[in-house]
Amino acid sequence: MPINEKEYNGYLFDQLSILERIEAVTDDEKVHKQIAIERKQIERKLYQKPPLVSE
């Protein structure tokens, strides 16, 4: 079942929220580095140009 861009962006924002919560409870530098990588990949999808669908 296809989803629209707004719904997809909602999922990406949820993933960013999860990363923020994990980051808040860990002191491990390796985890912080991996979170930064994951955040960059999620933001790349979230702010891509052109958008997923043409309007």
Side-chain angles (χ1 to χ4, degrees):
M1 182 168 141
I3 59 173
N4 61 31
E5 187 173 5
K6 185 175 181 180
E7 186 177 3
Y8 183 67
N9 286 346
Y11 293 144
L12 295 174
F13 278 119
D14 289 343
Q15 291 177 2
L16 288 174
S17 296
I18 291 168
L19 290 177
E20 289 171 358
R21 284 185 250 144
I22 293 170
E23 192 171 33
V25 297
T26 188
D27 294 328
D28 189 344
E29 193 60 36
K30 288 182 180 181
V31 174
H32 283 278
K33 287 181 181 180
Q34 187 62 39
I35 287 172
I37 292 168
E38 299 298 330
R39 178 179 287 122
K40 186 182 283 186
Q41 292 175 351
I42 292 168
E43 288 175 347
R44 188 178 304 132
K45 293 175 188 174
L46 185 60
Y47 302 117
Q48 67 183 343
K49 298 289 181 193
L52 292 174
V53 292
S54 302
E55 295 185 38

